[in-house]
Amino acid sequence: MVEGKQKKERLRTYEDFNYMSHMLFKTIGYDILDNTPPKGPYIILRGYFLLCIVSNCYAAFYVTLRFLQWERSESKLMRHALHFFYMFSAEVKFVTFVKYRRRLRSLNDQLKDLYPGDAKQQEDYEVNRHYLSRTTRFVLSFYYFVMALMMVTPLLQSCITHVVVKADFPYLRIFPTQLSFRSDTPWGYVFAYFVDFTYSHLIVNFTLGTDLWMICASSQICMHFGHLAKVLASYTPHRESEDEDCAFLARFVKRHQHILDLHDEVDQIFGLLLASNLFTTASLLCCIAFYTVVEGFNMEGMSYMMVFFSIVGLFYMVSSHGQNLIDFSTNIAVAAYDQKWYEGSVRYKKILMFIIAKAQHPSEISASSVVIISFDTFKTV
């Protein structure tokens, strides 16, 4: 006999859903929700954010320039192409996210208002089921770990080579991009590495943060779709209570339409981001695969393979949440058919048919209305 009761899992709050994505932006000094008071630490982070933007503009210019100069060496060309495509994706996400920040705040406020308040409602909505799964959290953590490792490894490798091996300091950097000054001198290296680090910090956090915002928003909408299907499936109509049954469907349709409107907002905000994500993911995977084939499994090739798996994992998570939206939205039609609709009035059945017809059109997240983000998209990439 097992002694004691198993500790009950804590019910997730709305803030738990957005915590990771919100912290990714706050650590670089950008508060997307604009609810942080201007205290000392925040002012320092805000200054760091401005430094990141300056470094980003400077480094992005030279990454683009070196890529357009078209190196004759195939391996160098692929390295420049890899950094260019990753930078391009991050820049699109950065500009789009800042452009839509007010719509994002409005979307966040609406989702927060709809979130179940007390414990009983949260259990009914199955909030923990729709929270970030362990697999999702592992993939996100692995992605950030790989990118952080790529940011600090060149400096550690240079220091170890100089201190332990007693060789000349190699001046290894995060990016191979030649800047407007020499980086093979002590002070030049310090400044170049600072530019690389702040630039990398910005693009990595925006790349991961925007995808995580999309995942969290789509999870919330899936939660509401799932609850609507649950309520509809459990309702039992009666011919004697036609007015009451039709009033229930009227409330249901209004709630359903509100969730569909929120889904449309998510699709419009993140459409361009996902289009950029899809294009650059395919480009990055091609560049990494080609570089690994040409250079073999050396130290740098192994690090790029880690980047390869982290990018694939992240895109899989984005695709899986796009697939969840399709599945949960169409489940409403299944729930309508599974209930005891045959016990309702003719008027009730007619209204229910309209609900089924509407729910049979899946709610999808598309890359600028071109490609639907789902498991089928992941398989094609």
Side-chain angles (χ1 to χ4, degrees):
M1 184 176 178
V2 181
E3 294 183 1
K5 295 182 178 179
Q6 187 177 2
K7 187 177 179 180
K8 191 175 182 180
E9 187 179 4
R10 182 178 70 88
L11 292 170
R12 299 291 180 174
T13 64
Y14 180 78
E15 287 71 22
D16 291 333
F17 277 81
N18 289 338
Y19 178 78
M20 290 181 64
S21 57
H22 193 38
M23 287 305 298
L24 281 172
F25 291 111
K26 288 188 73 174
T27 52
I28 57 174
Y30 184 65
D31 186 9
I32 182 65
L33 300 179
D34 198 24
N35 56 10
T36 303
K39 297 180 179 178
Y42 176 73
I43 294 175
I44 294 173
L45 282 173
R46 197 66 175 176
Y48 177 71
F49 179 61
L50 295 176
L51 280 176
C52 288
I53 292 178
V54 173
S55 298
N56 171 67
C57 295
Y58 177 75
F61 171 78
Y62 279 97
V63 168
T64 306
L65 180 64
R66 302 309 176 206
F67 175 69
L68 294 177
Q69 286 177 342
W70 203 261
E71 292 274 357
R72 293 184 178 180
S73 170
E74 293 179 342
S75 61
K76 288 184 178 180
L77 177 62
M78 285 300 102
R79 289 176 69 191
H80 285 307
L82 192 155
H83 296 140
F84 171 79
F85 286 122
Y86 189 81
M87 176 274 297
F88 178 78
S89 175
E91 299 300 332
V92 171
K93 290 181 176 181
F94 172 71
V95 172
T96 307
F97 214 65
V98 173
K99 176 183 177 182
Y100 290 133
R101 64 188 183 279
R102 292 184 180 178
R103 293 177 66 177
L104 279 166
R105 291 168 189 165
S106 175
L107 175 65
N108 176 75
D109 291 339
Q110 292 181 71
L111 290 173
K112 188 175 182 179
D113 291 338
L114 288 175
Y115 195 82
D118 55 53
K120 187 177 182 304
Q121 284 184 327
Q122 290 172 0
E123 289 179 355
D124 192 37
Y125 273 77
E126 299 179 294
V127 295
N128 286 6
R129 177 188 176 188
H130 298 279
Y131 182 67
L132 299 175
S133 65
R134 289 185 179 180
T135 303
T136 303
R137 282 176 282 173
F138 172 78
V139 169
L140 296 173
S141 300
F142 178 72
Y143 180 92
Y144 203 78
F145 169 77
V146 169
M147 295 305 167
L149 197 64
M150 295 283 288
M151 289 166 64
V152 300
T153 297
L155 179 60
L156 294 176
Q157 190 176 349
S158 298
C159 293
I160 291 172
T161 302
H162 182 65
V163 175
V164 179
V165 185
K166 304 297 183 181
D168 293 337
F169 196 85
Y171 298 104
L172 299 177
R173 290 174 46 216
I174 302 172
F175 298 105
T177 308
Q178 176 61 47
L179 301 175
S180 59
F181 57 90
R182 292 182 57 185
S183 59
D184 56 351
T185 61
W187 286 110
Y189 179 74
V190 170
F191 185 68
Y193 209 93
F194 175 79
V195 171
D196 287 350
F197 184 87
T198 51
Y199 161 64
S200 302
H201 194 191
L202 181 74
I203 63 175
V204 168
N205 279 35
F206 261 92
T207 297
L208 186 58
T210 50
D211 287 347
L212 194 49
W213 257 92
M214 191 281 295
I215 288 173
C216 293
S218 62
S219 297
Q220 293 277 312
I221 293 173
C222 286
M223 179 185 71
H224 291 292
F225 278 141
H227 182 258
L228 285 173
K230 182 179 178 181
V231 169
L232 187 59
S234 62
Y235 188 79
T236 303
H238 299 283
R239 291 182 178 86
E240 298 78 15
S241 57
E242 178 180 324
D243 292 340
E244 182 181 344
D245 294 340
C246 292
F248 163 78
L249 288 184
R251 293 192 300 271
F252 180 90
V253 169
K254 184 177 180 181
R255 181 82 168 188
H256 186 210
Q257 186 58 51
H258 185 35
I259 304 303
L260 289 174
D261 291 340
L262 292 177
H263 159 261
D264 290 340
E265 184 71 359
V266 171
D267 189 32
Q268 291 176 21
I269 292 174
F270 292 98
L272 181 59
L273 301 180
L274 291 172
S276 169
N277 201 3
L278 181 64
F279 170 74
T280 53
T281 297
S283 302
L284 285 171
L285 296 183
C286 292
C287 291
I288 293 173
F290 183 84
Y291 181 84
T292 305
V293 169
V294 172
E295 293 295 318
F297 285 96
N298 53 21
M299 191 67 179
E300 190 172 22
M302 291 295 291
S303 65
Y304 280 135
M305 283 305 298
M306 290 179 66
V307 175
F308 177 90
F309 287 117
S310 65
I311 291 173
V312 170
L314 182 60
F315 189 68
Y316 174 81
M317 287 297 103
V318 172
S319 300
S320 68
H321 283 79
Q323 185 66 47
N324 287 343
L325 265 177
I326 295 173
D327 295 340
F328 276 96
S329 62
T330 53
N331 279 347
I332 292 178
V334 177
Y337 185 77
D338 286 344
Q339 71 161 218
K340 296 180 180 179
W341 50 267
Y342 46 83
E343 295 185 2
S345 65
V346 175
R347 182 182 164 203
Y348 178 88
K349 294 173 186 176
K350 288 181 178 180
I351 299 174
L352 196 63
M353 287 178 62
F354 284 111
I355 294 175
I356 293 175
K358 192 173 187 64
Q360 284 177 337
H361 296 282
S363 297
E364 302 162 331
I365 292 185
S366 61
S368 292
S369 302
V370 177
V371 180
I372 305 302
I373 303 301
S374 63
F375 281 142
D376 290 336
T377 308
F378 177 79
K379 287 187 292 185
T380 57
V381 173

